[in-house]
């Protein structure tokens, strides 16, 4: 069995191989290339270009070949946060070994007028979405008192596992900035596919700084959520869905990704 029964019950997961045509985007469907467990294993060479990825969604996150920074997709614009958290445009012919995008069409919204720390923010999103069996694609716009972010340096072959890359991460604090967080919350049972729990990337409104979010405290922000019931998973050569496994352990993910 390739996928947990509960995953089949709640989410429709389709897989396709390179060489199959990457079809059109569909509302409330996440398109993802490769799996998070494959990334954990050091599979940092992808087979999908950002030009192809952009046809499947306008909001999302991921990384680049050789794990060269943190990717932010917002309003159809694809951005790279380098190891110092400086934002660069992405060459459409560049490839990604791991990314998830969605044609963002919010199903739920919430206004947070008071400051929220990270845990309170995530709890507020959970309450607003009110369905933990689906994937939540999330966009949070507004003022942030603090964003603690990280990025990582490009890796050389033979690629080390992601835990070793995370040990080289550069952590930086952004204070009192306007900007946007984008990302996903996957249900815990979907750990064979993506990061269980919240995974968010941030970019400032002036598109100068950003990275993978480790911690935050908001000011007034607007939250928009797109509850997705479908995932299309593109599997590069050699990447399989883990057979009957549970994916990465919660402890390993927390160490590497820093969220819940
Ligand atoms: Zn990330």
């Amino acid at each position: 069995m390739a996928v947990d029964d509960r995953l089949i019950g709640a989410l429709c997961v389709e897989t396709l191989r390179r060489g199959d045509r990457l079809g059109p985007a569909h509302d409330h469907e996440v398109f993802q290339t490769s799996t998070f467990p494959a990334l954990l294993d050091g599979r940092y060479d992808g087979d999908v270009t950002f030009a192809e990825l952009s046809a499947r969604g306008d909001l999302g996150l991921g990384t680049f070949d050789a794990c060269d920074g943190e990717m932010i997709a917002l309003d159809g614009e694809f951005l790279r946060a380098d190891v110092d958290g400086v934002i660069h445009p992405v060459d459409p012919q560049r490839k990604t070994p791991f990314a998830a995008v969605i044609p963002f069409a919010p199903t739920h919204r919430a206004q947070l007028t008071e400051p929220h720390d990270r845990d309170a923010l995530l709890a507020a999103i959970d309450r607003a979405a009110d369905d933990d069996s689906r994937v939540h694609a999330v966009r949070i716009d507004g003022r942030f008192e603090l964003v603690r972010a990280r990025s990582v340096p490009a890796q050389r072959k033979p690629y080390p596992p992601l835990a070793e890359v995370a040990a080289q991460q550069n952590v930086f604090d952004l204070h009192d900035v306007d900007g946007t967080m984008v990302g996903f919350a996957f249900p815990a049972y979907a750990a064979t596919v993506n990061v269980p729990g919240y995974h968010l990337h941030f970019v400032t409104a002036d598109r100068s700084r950003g990275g993978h979010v480790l911690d935050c405290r908001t000011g007034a922000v607007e939250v928009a959520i797109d509850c997705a019931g479908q995932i299309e998973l593109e599997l590069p050569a050699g990447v399989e869905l883990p057979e009957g496994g549970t994916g990465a352990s919660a402890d390993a993910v927390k160490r590497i990704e820093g969220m819940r």
Side-chain angles (χ1 to χ4, degrees):
M1 185 181 70
V3 182
D4 188 293
D5 277 343
R6 288 165 297 169
L7 183 56
I8 293 168
L11 289 170
C12 176
V13 180
E14 290 175 49
T15 61
L16 79 159
R17 288 286 174 189
R18 198 71 185 99
D20 296 349
R21 201 170 66 84
L22 297 186
H26 301 286
D27 279 357
H28 316 301
E29 179 181 275
V30 176
F31 176 84
Q32 179 177 316
T33 178
S34 195
T35 67
F36 186 64
L39 194 73
L40 282 173
D41 260 2
R43 304 291 195 109
Y44 308 146
D45 284 327
D47 60 1
V48 170
T49 66
F50 283 93
E52 291 171 312
L53 195 64
S54 70
R56 297 304 305 265
D58 56 13
L59 176 141
L61 50 67
T63 186
F64 302 86
D65 274 351
C67 234
D68 186 15
E70 307 281 354
M71 189 275 280
I72 303 113
L74 179 59
D75 294 327
E77 190 177 14
F78 287 74
L79 302 166
R80 181 175 74 92
D82 70 18
V83 65
D84 296 315
V86 175
I87 296 292
H88 305 270
V90 175
D91 179 343
Q93 294 314 310
R94 201 160 181 183
K95 289 181 179 170
T96 175
F98 180 77
V101 294
I102 190 167
F104 192 65
T107 54
H108 300 75
R109 292 181 185 276
Q111 299 274 355
L112 306 183
T113 52
E114 300 296 321
H116 283 59
D117 66 18
R118 183 190 70 171
D119 289 349
L121 171 66
L122 302 185
I125 299 170
D126 282 345
R127 277 197 305 278
D130 194 29
D131 180 355
D132 60 9
S133 69
R134 305 217 161 198
V135 178
H136 303 154
V138 180
R139 170 176 184 153
I140 308 158
D141 286 280
R143 187 74 175 171
F144 293 84
E145 294 180 2
L146 168 71
V147 178
R148 177 159 297 155
R150 73 106 191 272
S151 190
V152 292
Q155 302 298 301
R156 290 210 182 90
K157 292 180 179 177
Y159 292 139
L162 194 62
E164 288 179 31
V165 179
Q168 306 166 31
Q169 70 185 4
N170 178 35
V171 178
F172 43 92
D173 286 349
L174 306 174
H175 293 278
D176 297 318
V177 287
D178 292 321
T180 304
M181 282 183 190
V182 298
F184 297 92
F186 276 70
Y189 63 71
T192 54
V193 172
N194 205 310
V195 179
Y198 283 88
H199 181 188
L200 298 170
H201 287 187
F202 179 77
V203 64
T204 54
D206 66 4
R207 305 290 188 262
S208 64
R209 302 294 307 278
H212 167 108
V213 177
L214 296 174
D215 200 2
C216 68
R217 183 173 169 79
T218 73
V221 293
E222 186 176 337
V223 176
I225 304 154
D226 184 349
C227 274
Q230 303 232 58
I231 302 171
E232 187 168 286
L233 201 56
E234 186 275 343
L235 296 173
V239 173
E240 304 292 339
L241 277 177
E243 287 284 332
T246 55
S249 79
D251 280 356
V253 172
K254 189 154 177 49
R255 262 196 322 277
I256 294 166
E257 295 296 313
M259 298 287 272
R260 73 165 163 90

